[in-house]
Amino acid sequence: MIGHEGLMLGIDIGGSGIKGAPVDLDRGEFAELRHRVETPQPATPKAVLRAVGEVVTYFDWEGPIGCTFPAVVQGGTVVTASNVDRSWIGTNAADVLSNKLGHPVLVVNDADAAGVAEMEFGAGRERQGTVLIVTLGTGIGTSLFVDGTLVPNTELGHIEIDGVDAETRAASRWRNAHGLTWKQWGGRVNKYLCRVERLVWPELIIIGGGVSRKHERFFPYLDTRTPIVAAQLRNDAGIIGAALLAARAS
Ligand code: BGC
């Protein structure tokens, strides 16, 4: 598919899967079913580049691309690596992907991309003021918007609670890994959110990530003072946001 009017390829690099789809930029929806490949383990730059290449080839995509990465990304360079191979640190992901694919690739933090999509097409549409998006998955991602403008790389998933990195207790992977009930895990999420809201005083919190599909299982255990809603674009938000940002940049 030659990059065409109104469409942009978005790719979401996650801890377990690398997913992509051409995104209809006016509607904020996939123009075709998404394609997923397993994230290689270890997720070294070389192995991930190959996997991203597979997704691009699947769609026969020729043109600019937007891509998420689950770490701090500044000017295309990966700065941290909580849930990916440490050899990424210092790598300019945008440059290596652009060179490999032969087209400009914009690389952004995964939670920031998901937030951009939610603000444009989902639960944050037309919301002014301070809005915090929290994605619960392998890690905890956050994106913060002030009157619709993104404050990038907020990384509030890593605040310290009870002496440990919050994401090592409240990310959704621990619900299964530690055999927690919804109530137990919901309690952890609640403690986390109550702490975060006292740092940034948002007017709305949007909960994203795959588990937001099951929000009615754990929302009853949340008693923040800030209103909380589930993300509307769920796990598609990263792909859609990456595509939107790439379109804005090209
Ligand atoms: C990373 C963030 C990322 C989040 C969700 C965290 O461990 O530090 O950059 O957004 O996981 O993938």
Side-chain angles (χ1 to χ4, degrees):
M1 183 188 289
I2 310 289
H4 55 92
E5 199 65 15
L7 292 187
M8 176 66 70
L9 186 67
I11 295 184
D12 190 22
I13 300 180
S16 55
I18 296 177
K19 298 143 275 180
V23 173
D24 178 324
L25 298 165
D26 291 328
R27 302 161 66 96
E29 289 170 4
F30 294 171
E32 280 184 53
L33 284 183
R34 67 164 208 185
H35 183 64
R36 179 185 190 276
V37 298
E38 291 292 312
T39 303
Q41 302 299 339
T44 57
K46 201 166 161 207
V48 170
L49 286 186
R50 198 176 319 118
V52 171
E54 270 178 48
V55 176
V56 175
T57 308
Y58 175 86
F59 290 108
D60 250 337
W61 182 264
E62 300 278 345
I65 294 167
C67 186
T68 76
F69 199 82
V72 172
V73 182
Q74 287 184 309
T77 297
V78 176
V79 182
T80 62
S82 310
N83 291 308
V84 285
D85 197 79
R86 293 193 67 75
S87 56
W88 274 100
I89 294 179
T91 304
N92 190 311
D95 283 354
V96 291
L97 279 166
S98 303
N99 290 339
K100 160 127 183 128
L101 302 170
H103 294 284
V105 182
L106 181 91
V107 182
V108 289
N109 172 263
D110 55 357
D112 285 349
V116 164
E118 282 297 330
M119 294 302 287
E120 187 75 26
F121 295 111
R125 219 174 18 231
E126 286 163 19
R127 288 296 300 234
Q128 295 297 299
T130 305
V131 179
L132 178 70
I133 286 101
V134 177
T135 64
L136 301 169
T138 310
I140 296 182
T142 59
S143 60
L144 186 66
F145 291 81
V146 181
D147 292 338
T149 300
L150 171 69
V151 181
N153 293 308
T154 40
E155 293 291 320
L156 294 170
H158 296 296
I159 60 167
E160 192 179 305
I161 299 183
D162 296 336
V164 296
D165 183 340
E167 92 167 6
T168 64
R169 291 186 57 77
S172 72
R173 78 199 287 194
W174 301 116
R175 196 176 56 79
N176 290 327
H178 291 170
L180 303 175
T181 62
W182 284 104
K183 186 175 181 188
Q184 287 168 324
W185 179 69
R188 290 183 180 194
V189 173
N190 187 48
K191 188 166 188 178
Y192 167 70
L193 294 174
C194 288
R195 179 69 65 82
V196 171
E197 73 177 348
R198 276 160 184 74
L199 296 173
V200 294
W201 295 94
E203 285 148 273
L204 177 69
I205 297 177
I206 300 173
I207 301 290
V211 76
S212 62
R213 220 172 345 122
K214 300 185 181 152
H215 60 92
E216 66 294 331
R217 309 295 296 272
F218 64 100
F219 273 23
Y221 307 115
L222 309 180
D223 65 359
T224 54
R225 54 189 291 158
T226 315
I228 296 194
V229 295
Q232 286 172 4
L233 306 174
R234 313 269 158 85
N235 252 357
D236 297 346
I239 295 175
I240 295 170
L244 270 181
L245 287 166
R248 286 179 193 163
S250 59

